[in-house]
Amino acid sequence: MGAVTASDLEGWQLFSYLPAGDTARLARIATQHRFGKGQTIFSEGDEADALWVLLKGQVKIFKMSPDGREQVMRIVRAGEAFGEAAALSRGDFPAHCEAIARSVAVRFPANDFLALLKGSPQLAVNMIVALSQLLRGFASLVDALALREVSARLAKYLLDASVRTKSDAVVLEVRKSILAARLGTVSETLSRTLRRLRDRRIVRVEGQRIDILDRPVLQQIAAGMRI
């Protein structure tokens, strides 16, 4: 656990456009924590007494089914907040959180953060934006899991990733087993789906890199076309 400076918080969306005084007050209530790959940050049912912002690395938010199957709800990237919805509603964490790479995160005690939120209009606006994005992400996940086949889920994931990186070359940020859990399937099914896309020359697969070769067809698959 380490101290946090105002400069540590600069450049991240949640703290954008904040007056210097607000950033300094946030730094005073924050602590920095390091996590090794596979280390638990919080577990489902733990008291949501803090929210977090990831500075480096990657973490996954996931739930476990009664039969031990993992469903990845979200992959958190550097600069993003996590645990915020539960912390601000003062409930328990509804899912598990684990580092999937060596990570550095900042912890904000919920009570202290709420007190600052009440006095900082810009921080409140930023938090609304972050929560709105979180809701859109979960709505998209529910739509994909409920209404789409694995091929459509994978196609949409690749298209979204290419938009984010502004490139037809998508480098998977996580292991394929974690991506499979994110898409609500298993590694074997994901591998078969990738092979079908590759064999039809819709994508090219080289290790963790996937090149989109036929975007119009991939868009049709994402919309529900069977392959």
Side-chain angles (χ1 to χ4, degrees), residues 61-97:
I61 309 295
F62 65 101
K63 293 182 74 71
M64 298 295 297
S65 68
D67 62 0
R69 182 172 174 177
E70 180 181 295
Q71 172 63 59
V72 175
M73 311 299 293
R74 180 185 172 201
I75 301 297
V76 182
R77 301 175 180 86
E80 295 180 344
F82 59 101
E84 67 274 43
L88 294 179
S89 64
R90 305 311 311 276
D92 296 334
F93 287 118
H96 304 280
C97 180

Side-chain angles (χ1 to χ4, degrees), residues 18-97:
L18 289 183
D22 286 355
T23 307
R25 282 188 286 273
L26 281 165
R28 284 196 290 271
I29 68 170
T31 52
Q32 189 176 118
H33 299 256
R34 296 181 181 273
F35 298 95
K37 182 179 178 180
Q39 188 172 352
T40 297
I41 299 175
F42 54 76
S43 297
E44 182 176 354
D46 287 350
E47 181 186 0
D49 59 353
L51 59 95
W52 298 78
V53 171
L54 187 65
L55 298 186
K56 297 178 182 178
Q58 283 185 321
V59 305
K60 64 178 179 180
I61 309 295
F62 65 101
K63 293 182 74 71
M64 298 295 297
S65 68
D67 62 0
R69 182 172 174 177
E70 180 181 295
Q71 172 63 59
V72 175
M73 311 299 293
R74 180 185 172 201
I75 301 297
V76 182
R77 301 175 180 86
E80 295 180 344
F82 59 101
E84 67 274 43
L88 294 179
S89 64
R90 305 311 311 276
D92 296 334
F93 287 118
H96 304 280
C97 180

Side-chain angles (χ1 to χ4, degrees), residues 2-221:
V4 176
T5 66
S7 61
D8 292 326
L9 306 181
E10 293 175 355
W12 306 121
Q13 180 185 31
L14 186 59
F15 310 119
S16 57
Y17 309 113
L18 289 183
D22 286 355
T23 307
R25 282 188 286 273
L26 281 165
R28 284 196 290 271
I29 68 170
T31 52
Q32 189 176 118
H33 299 256
R34 296 181 181 273
F35 298 95
K37 182 179 178 180
Q39 188 172 352
T40 297
I41 299 175
F42 54 76
S43 297
E44 182 176 354
D46 287 350
E47 181 186 0
D49 59 353
L51 59 95
W52 298 78
V53 171
L54 187 65
L55 298 186
K56 297 178 182 178
Q58 283 185 321
V59 305
K60 64 178 179 180
I61 309 295
F62 65 101
K63 293 182 74 71
M64 298 295 297
S65 68
D67 62 0
R69 182 172 174 177
E70 180 181 295
Q71 172 63 59
V72 175
M73 311 299 293
R74 180 185 172 201
I75 301 297
V76 182
R77 301 175 180 86
E80 295 180 344
F82 59 101
E84 67 274 43
L88 294 179
S89 64
R90 305 311 311 276
D92 296 334
F93 287 118
H96 304 280
C97 180
E98 178 185 297
I100 55 177
R102 294 177 62 182
S103 301
V104 179
V106 173
R107 180 183 185 274
F108 297 92
N111 287 338
D112 294 335
F113 189 89
L114 279 168
L116 289 177
L117 194 62
K118 292 176 182 177
S120 174
Q122 185 61 57
L123 181 59
V125 169
N126 293 354
M127 180 57 69
I128 290 170
V129 171
L131 291 173
S132 297
Q133 292 175 338
L134 183 64
L135 286 173
R136 283 201 301 271
F138 282 139
S140 178
L141 178 62
V142 169
D143 172 68
L145 294 178
L147 303 176
R148 299 172 187 260
E149 295 189 348
V150 173
S151 57
R153 299 175 211 166
L154 175 59
K156 186 176 186 306
Y157 173 87
L158 294 174
L159 291 168
D160 289 347
S162 74
V163 169
R164 190 168 59 248
T165 60
K166 299 179 181 179
S167 170
D168 283 337
V170 175
V171 178
L172 299 182
E173 302 172 305
V174 295
R175 301 190 311 274
K176 289 179 182 176
S177 59
I178 295 177
L179 175 58
R182 177 70 176 83
L183 298 177
T185 187
V186 295
S187 297
E188 293 79 5
T189 302
L190 176 63
S191 295
R192 285 196 300 270
T193 306
L194 274 173
R195 281 197 299 271
R196 290 203 300 271
L197 293 176
R198 181 199 63 195
D199 292 346
R200 298 187 181 203
R201 301 185 182 278
I202 300 167
V203 302
R204 179 171 54 241
V205 182
E206 296 179 356
Q208 292 291 100
R209 173 172 167 152
I210 301 174
D211 292 293
I212 298 174
L213 303 179
D214 194 332
R215 181 176 292 270
V217 171
L218 196 64
Q219 290 171 332
Q220 291 175 12
I221 294 170

